[in-house]
Structure formats: structure tokens, C-alpha cells
């Protein structure tokens, strides 16, 4: 028996123990997106820093940070 078979068996055992539920983070990731551009409605994670938002505002819309994200930092 090779290592690949051992890994497959271990995955099967762990899936039984965990109830067969996947470990997807999509729901929690969607909930973490609370910064929204007012022009294009693109969502950004809460942890997004000011330089990234400024880059989005200038490159996508040729506007300032305050025009695209009026609630940022409040």
C-alpha cells in the first residue's frame, strides 16, 4: 500500500468523524465584506487598507477615496 492510499483512507476516516461536512469559508468571507464602493458596488473585506481603496478609486473611477467610500474610517 502506497502513501496515496494511506492519505485517502485518512481523509475518509476524518470525513466520518467530522460528519462529512465541508470546510468551505465562502459564507464567512461574504460576511466579512462590508466596505462597498458607492460607484460600482464592489465589496471589499473589512481588513482592506486605505492605500488599496485609494488605488481602486483612482484607477477605476478617477475619483478620490472620499467620493467612492464616504463611510471609510468612520
Amino acid at each position: 500500500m502506497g502513501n496515496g492510499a494511506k492519505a485517502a483512507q485518512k481523509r475518509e476516516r476524518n470525513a466520518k468523524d467530522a460528519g462529512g461536512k465541508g470546510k468551505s469559508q465562502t459564507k464567512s468571507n461574504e460576511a466579512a465584506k462590508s466596505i462597498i464602493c458607492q460607484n460600482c458596488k464592489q465589496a471589499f473585506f473589512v481588513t482592506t487598507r486605505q492605500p488599496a481603496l485609494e488605488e481602486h478609486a483612482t484607477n477605476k473611477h478617477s475619483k478620490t477615496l472620499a467620493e467612492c467610500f464616504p463611510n471609510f474610517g468612520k
Side-chain angles (χ1 to χ4, degrees):
M1 189 182 303
N3 287 338
K6 288 180 184 178
Q9 287 176 344
K10 188 169 185 171
R11 275 194 296 272
E12 289 173 9
R13 270 196 312 269
N14 289 340
K16 285 181 189 175
D17 294 341
K21 296 179 184 176
K23 296 182 180 181
S24 177
Q25 293 180 334
T26 11
K27 288 182 182 177
S28 60
N29 286 348
E30 287 301 318
K33 293 182 179 178
S34 69
I35 301 173
I36 299 174
C37 176
Q38 296 301 308
N39 294 311
C40 64
K41 304 301 183 198
Q42 181 177 351
F44 293 89
F45 287 112
V46 178
T47 57
T48 306
R49 306 266 179 170
Q50 185 174 348
L53 298 176
E54 286 175 347
E55 182 180 354
H56 170 83
T58 55
N59 291 345
K60 298 278 184 178
H61 308 297
S62 299
K63 295 187 177 185
T64 64
L65 177 72
E67 291 171 324
C68 288
F69 306 99
N71 296 330
F72 180 72
K74 293 181 182 175

